[in-house]
Amino acid sequence: GKTSMAVANALGANVQNVFLALAVPWTIQSVFITHGPFPLVVDNLLPAVLECVITLIPVVLIYICCGFSMPWWSGLIFLLTYLIYVVIAVGQQVSHCSTWPFWCH
């Protein structure tokens, strides 16, 4: 099939969405509300970064190990990875703990 086109489309769309989702509110805040730079408080960013990396690992491993293509069964692994991510994200929201299910303060 057109696996490389699908991967490029998905990555391109996600990169564009992230840039727009970050750039537009940031611009509105700095231009219209604070009229310049503003402090951004970032607490406990490590769990979110680890979630992104852990979610990306199966994609990269399957792509490299399968001759730079995505076999049909990879979709099942990606759905399972997404399901695990959703369970963890819901658990973090319900427990008000960003490190759930590992430890909470």
Side-chain angles (χ1 to χ4, degrees):
K2 306 280 186 193
T3 307
S4 60
M5 288 175 56
V7 171
N9 184 27
L11 289 176
N14 286 324
V15 167
Q16 181 182 9
N17 289 341
V18 167
F19 283 147
L20 287 176
L22 292 175
V24 171
W26 199 285
T27 302
I28 291 171
Q29 174 78 16
S30 62
V31 172
F32 298 111
I33 298 173
T34 62
H35 305 291
F38 59 93
L40 181 64
V41 179
V42 179
D43 263 349
N44 207 7
L45 194 58
L46 183 63
V49 171
L50 288 176
E51 288 170 3
C52 291
V53 169
I54 290 169
T55 304
L56 185 62
I57 286 173
V59 176
V60 173
L61 285 177
I62 290 172
Y63 190 70
I64 291 172
C65 293
C66 293
F68 298 98
S69 66
M70 295 289 189
W72 68 269
W73 50 265
S74 64
L76 298 174
I77 292 175
F78 299 150
L79 284 173
L80 179 64
T81 303
Y82 183 69
L83 179 65
I84 292 169
Y85 168 78
V86 167
V87 167
I88 290 173
V90 169
Q92 289 173 346
Q93 289 296 316
V94 170
S95 68
H96 302 290
C97 175
S98 64
T99 55
W100 185 92
F102 302 110
W103 65 87
C104 289
H105 305 291

